[in-house]
């Protein structure tokens, strides 16, 4: 039997009460309960997979793979989400701004499109800014749950969680108000570093 290390929940890169318009309670529940649950779910699916390998019993392989995909996607997108936040919001600068202007026409057009994607996602989902390794361009991505409508060969550099657990306690059904709060907390340096790493890969 092969022993793999368990996946672990990273600490928040800032204090629970440091976001503007996203309360300490929401950040605490979201990080400590919801994000943690996807890591637990992934570890559990990997344990089930190891049992299947050890016993040669593949009867649950479809369910295991569904659980791995859902929980791995939730784990990774939440990691990006927390690291994307904790900044001053506003606008990016440098190469990131240039690439946004090239690919979307202007920062305002990008922001409008991204906000529309946030609203258009189903009750639970994500809006993403994706760097496509295939064409070297930025695209917005709409995801239901954590993994439906996935793209391939792309790197998510900005991730907005629009599951109700991300905002309902603070903004109720007003998802647009939450998206405004999201933009007001973006750490564009983190987004720029992700773009740079993706371009260098
Ligand atoms: Fe979430």
């Amino acid at each position: 039997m092969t022993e793999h290390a368990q996946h672990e929940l990273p600490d928040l890169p800032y204090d629970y009460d440091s976001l503007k318009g996203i309360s300490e309670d929401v950040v605490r529940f979201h990080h400590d309960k919801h994000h943690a649950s996807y890591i637990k779910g992934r570890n559990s699916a990997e344990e089930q997979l190891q049992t299947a390998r050890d016993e040669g019993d593949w009867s649950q392989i479809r369910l295991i793979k569904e659980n791995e995909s859902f929980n791995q996607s939730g784990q990774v997108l939440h990691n990006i989400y927390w690291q994307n936040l904790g900044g001053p919001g506003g606008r990016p600068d440098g190469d990131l701004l240039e690439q946004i202007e090239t690919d979307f026409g202007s920062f305002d057009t990008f922001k409008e499109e991204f906000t529309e994607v946030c609203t258009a996602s189903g009750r639970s989902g994500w809006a993403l800014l994706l760097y496509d390794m295939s064409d070297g361009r930025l695209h917005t991505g709409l995801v239901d749950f954590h993994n439906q409508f996935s793209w391939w060969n792309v790197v998510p550099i900005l991730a907005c969680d629009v599951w109700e657990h991300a905002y309902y306690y603070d903004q109720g059904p007003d998802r647009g108000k939450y998206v405004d709060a999201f933009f007001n907390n973006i750490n564009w340096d983190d987004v720029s570093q992700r773009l740079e790493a993706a371009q260098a890969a």
Side-chain angles (χ1 to χ4, degrees):
M1 174 174 175
T2 309
E3 287 285 346
H4 295 288
Q6 296 247 308
H7 300 278
E8 292 181 359
L9 177 68
D11 290 336
L12 271 186
Y14 37 77
D15 292 335
Y16 287 94
D17 64 353
S18 58
L19 299 182
K20 304 176 289 285
I22 302 175
S23 68
E24 178 179 352
D25 280 348
V26 163
V27 173
R28 199 173 286 282
F29 295 149
H30 195 174
H31 177 266
D32 293 3
K33 301 294 181 189
H34 295 278
H35 187 178
S37 77
Y38 303 122
I39 291 165
K40 192 175 167 195
R42 184 176 185 189
N43 285 329
S44 171
E46 289 189 351
E47 283 165 18
Q48 290 168 19
L49 183 60
Q50 190 57 52
T51 300
R53 288 172 180 161
D54 291 342
E55 298 179 357
D57 176 2
W58 303 107
S59 59
Q60 299 300 309
I61 191 65
R62 182 179 172 86
L63 181 61
I64 292 169
K65 286 291 149 188
E66 284 178 8
N67 286 335
E68 272 193 310
S69 171
F70 177 80
N71 287 293
Q72 189 270 359
S73 300
Q75 174 191 16
V76 168
L77 291 180
H78 280 92
N79 285 347
I80 297 169
Y81 174 77
W82 297 122
Q83 290 168 16
N84 281 163
L85 296 178
R91 288 165 178 257
D93 55 17
D95 291 344
L96 174 59
L97 180 60
E98 264 184 43
Q99 176 117 21
I100 286 174
E101 288 174 342
T102 299
D103 294 333
F104 293 93
S106 69
F107 176 77
D108 289 341
T109 302
F110 154 70
K111 187 175 177 183
E112 185 178 327
E113 178 176 324
F114 191 88
T115 301
E116 289 293 327
V117 172
C118 286
T119 309
S121 176
R123 260 180 58 194
S124 299
W126 294 81
L128 304 175
L129 179 59
L130 304 167
Y131 176 73
D132 189 335
M133 314 275 278
S134 308
D135 63 12
R137 289 166 49 199
L138 294 170
H139 305 267
T140 55
L142 184 159
V143 176
D144 276 350
F145 302 107
H146 300 311
N147 53 346
Q148 291 189 7
F149 313 132
S150 296
W151 295 40
W152 304 103
N153 210 22
V154 294
V155 179
I157 63 171
L158 179 69
C160 182
D161 186 339
V162 294
W163 284 56
E164 289 181 352
H165 66 226
Y167 66 93
Y168 223 82
Y169 181 83
D170 286 335
Q171 283 92 12
D174 192 344
R175 189 183 283 183
K177 197 172 167 192
Y178 158 71
V179 175
D180 287 343
F182 174 82
F183 268 95
N184 286 336
N185 286 287
I186 292 177
N187 175 0
W188 287 110
D189 287 345
D190 179 70
V191 185
S192 291
Q193 285 162 19
R194 290 175 187 280
L195 176 62
E196 204 175 311
Q199 287 172 327

